[in-house]
Each structure stands twice: as C-alpha cells, then as structure tokens.
C-alpha cells in the first residue's frame, strides 16, 4: 500500500488530493482549505500524509460533509493536536462520539476512524472573511451536507456528485433523496463545484445538472419496467448488466440493485 497527498490551488482554494494505492485499485479523496476553514479531513490511512499540511495552516474550524471514514478520518487528530472545533450535521453528533463500526473491506481501504467530539452545524456561519450556508443534501447518507460560499458563489458538494452516471450505490443510500438534493443545490447561484472525489469542477453546475438528468432517466426506466411486471432483480439486470468488482468485494454493500430498490420504495409509497 502507498499513500500520498498532493496540494493544488484553484481560485484561492487549497485542494488536498489524497491517494491510497492498493493492489489492483486506487482510492482517492479531497479535503479543502479556504479562509481558515477546513472542509473534511481525509481518511485514517492518509492521516500521516495530511498532518504536515494540517500543521502548516491556521485551521480555525473544521466542517464535515458527512460521517464516512474517508471524510472524518483525521478529525480526532485535529481535535487532539490543534484544538480546532469540529462541526457535522446534528444527526451525527452522537455517532461521532461512539466507536465507529463498518465492514472490514472499508477499514482495509480507508483505515479505522477514531471517535471524536463534534458540534452540530449551524445553518449559516462565517470563516475569517467569507460567509457560508449549510445545505442539507441527504441521499448518500442521511447526515450529508454541502456548503455554499456566498462570496465566491461556489458549492462544496461532498459526495453529492462524485460522477455523472452513477452505477452502484451503498445500501444506506437513497437515490431519490440524492435527486432531490441535486435539485435543491441547483437552486443556488454557482458554477464552480468542489467535489470530495472529483475535485475542482469549473463547470460544476452542468455536471450536477447532467447527473440529475441521468438519474431522472434511470428513475423513469425503473418505474416503466416495474409497471410492465418486472421485479427489482430483473430490472437491475436489464439496466445494469455489468457487475462491478466493488459489489463483490463489499459483499453487496455497494450494488446497482440499491438504485432500483430505492426508486421502487418511493414509487410504491406514492
């Protein structure tokens, strides 16, 4: 295993690109530093690479897009060594205080997150010279948030985007919530997006719009096939015939099947 963090700068935002290279695969995640504010902290396995960067910056406060290990993995170290206050969506404040439990394959990929003390995110807040708004954007997780910078008209979207044509999601995800969160985010005035896995996207509004349209097309197909008499398993094979390695490695925690079932749950509830 090899790890590294590389810094790049876009419109005054320090983008810390962390990479973990494992046999046959590569895992990557971003943290962003701007105006004394750190957005996400990388994963536990990247911590040693991030520490020199953290120590070289005046981190006034830390905000987390959600509780997953690749975003909150450095929070405990920052709390213990820098004393910076850490904020997360109110629904995960207690979760972060307790031991983190998740599957072994995720521990091998990202490391084991240590529990830490977090504060509930306010709906709006200020960094040194800029103003921010917290946008609750559930879907990937229930606690997921994005951050809108009013001064720069930029969106820090966490895992809301990641890629346009989503093929697999976690069992805990709700793709219909993701669609609603995309619509909610697109109501804001921005072009640039800082994505926690795709990095800086100067054409971010278009990328989020394209993702929303793709998911709307998937939703329409799922409902049409279901109304023609097909069950979820058959719909999944029809729309997503390829099985991705992550589905096997995760024992189904990541699977296209979850896209289909989350759409049908909403449709059947209407």
């Amino acid at each position: 295993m090899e790890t590294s963090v590389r810094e790049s700068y876009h419109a005054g935002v320090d983008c810390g690109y962390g990479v973990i290279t494992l046999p046959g695969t590569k895992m990557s995640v971003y943290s962003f530093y701007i105006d004394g504010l750190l957005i996400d902290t990388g994963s536990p396995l990247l911590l040693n690479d991030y520490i020199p960067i953290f120590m070289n910056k005046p981190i006034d406060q830390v905000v987390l897009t959600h509780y997953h290990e690749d975003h909150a993995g450095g929070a405990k170290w920052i709390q213990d060594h820098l004393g910076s206050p850490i904020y997360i969506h109110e629904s995960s404040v207690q979760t972060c205080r307790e031991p983190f439990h998740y599957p072994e394959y995720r521990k091998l990929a990202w490391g084991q997150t240590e529990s830490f003390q977090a504060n509930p995110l306010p709906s709006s807040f200020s960094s040194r010279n800029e103003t921010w708004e917290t946008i609750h954007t559930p879907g990937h997780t229930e606690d997921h948030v994005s951050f809108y910078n009013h001064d720069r008209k930029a969106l820090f979207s966490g895992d809301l985007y990641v890629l346009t044509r989503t093929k697999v999601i976690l069992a805990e995800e709700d793709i219909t919530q993701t669609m609603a969160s995309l619509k909610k985010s697109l109501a804001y005035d921005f072009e640039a997006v800082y994505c926690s896995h795709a990095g800086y996207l100067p054409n971010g509004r278009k990328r989020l719009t394209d993702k929303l349209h793709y998911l709307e097309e998937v939703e329409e197909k799922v409902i049409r096939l279901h109304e023609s008499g097909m069950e979820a398993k058959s719909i999944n094979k029809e729309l997503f015939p390829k099985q991705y390695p992550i589905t096997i490695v995760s024992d189904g925690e990541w699977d296209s099947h979850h896209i289909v079932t989350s759409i049908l749950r909403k449709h059947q509830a209407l």
Side-chain angles (χ1 to χ4, degrees):
M1 180 187 71
E2 296 181 1
T3 64
S4 65
V5 176
R6 183 177 72 249
E7 291 182 89
S8 61
Y9 297 84
H10 299 279
V13 179
D14 184 350
C15 307
Y17 178 52
V19 178
I20 300 172
T21 303
L22 299 166
T25 190
K26 184 173 74 172
M27 313 287 292
S28 62
V29 68
Y30 280 85
S31 293
F32 301 103
Y33 177 82
I34 173 174
D35 197 39
L37 178 72
L38 179 66
I39 301 174
D40 287 344
T41 65
S43 77
L45 289 181
L46 288 167
L47 182 56
N48 286 338
D49 297 282
Y50 268 115
I51 284 174
I53 298 174
F54 293 158
M55 294 184 69
N56 196 40
K57 300 183 187 307
I59 299 175
D60 301 328
Q61 54 187 322
V62 178
V63 293
L64 301 175
T65 57
H66 57 299
Y67 75 94
H68 278 169
E69 58 275 10
D70 48 331
H71 300 262
K76 172 66 170 174
W77 186 93
I78 290 174
Q79 188 167 72
D80 288 349
H81 294 85
L82 303 181
S84 309
I86 299 169
Y87 298 88
I88 197 167
H89 187 266
E90 60 183 2
S91 64
S92 284
V93 168
Q94 185 58 39
T95 299
C96 294
R97 293 174 180 170
E98 300 170 354
F100 283 83
H101 299 289
Y102 44 90
E104 193 64 29
Y105 81 94
R106 284 166 57 179
K107 295 177 185 177
L108 292 173
W110 295 115
Q112 175 66 56
T113 302
E114 294 186 65
S115 57
F116 57 94
Q117 301 293 315
N119 305 298
L121 272 162
S123 58
S124 61
F125 59 95
S126 298
S127 53
R128 294 183 175 189
N129 302 293
E130 301 179 11
T131 56
W132 300 76
E133 184 171 343
T134 303
I135 311 171
H136 187 209
T137 49
H140 178 62
T141 60
E142 183 56 40
D143 73 330
H144 192 280
V145 299
S146 302
F147 299 106
Y148 179 67
N149 184 300
H150 285 272
D151 301 271
R152 297 169 181 268
K153 291 183 167 48
L155 184 73
F156 292 75
S157 62
D159 283 2
L160 178 61
Y161 171 71
V162 182
L163 74 169
T164 301
R165 300 179 67 83
T166 300
K167 303 294 185 182
V168 295
I169 62 173
L170 280 164
E172 70 175 297
E173 293 191 55
D174 185 332
I175 208 70
T176 65
Q177 281 191 333
T178 297
M179 292 165 65
S181 292
L182 285 165
K183 291 177 183 177
K184 184 178 184 179
S185 299
L186 287 165
Y188 288 77
D189 179 17
F190 67 90
E191 291 298 330
V193 168
Y194 294 84
C195 170
S196 292
H197 290 282
Y200 170 64
L201 306 173
N203 59 340
R205 170 171 287 276
K206 182 180 186 306
R207 300 280 279 272
L208 265 65
T209 302
D210 289 347
K211 183 184 182 90
L212 175 60
H213 290 166
Y214 162 75
L215 292 177
E216 288 174 336
E217 291 174 3
V218 170
E219 181 183 45
E220 187 276 328
K221 291 175 183 177
V222 168
I223 293 172
R224 175 169 47 82
L225 291 171
H226 176 69
E227 291 180 342
S228 74
M230 291 180 67
E231 298 294 329
K233 186 175 181 180
S234 299
I235 295 172
N236 183 49
K237 287 184 177 180
E238 174 75 16
L239 298 182
F240 305 102
K242 181 178 178 180
Q243 187 176 58
Y244 292 88
I246 187 62
T247 300
I248 300 170
V249 170
S250 70
D251 195 25
E253 187 180 35
W254 288 90
D255 200 323
S256 54
H257 183 74
H258 306 316
I259 297 175
V260 175
T261 54
S262 63
I263 290 171
L264 291 179
R265 276 197 303 271
K266 177 189 174 184
H267 178 63
Q268 292 166 349
L270 295 176

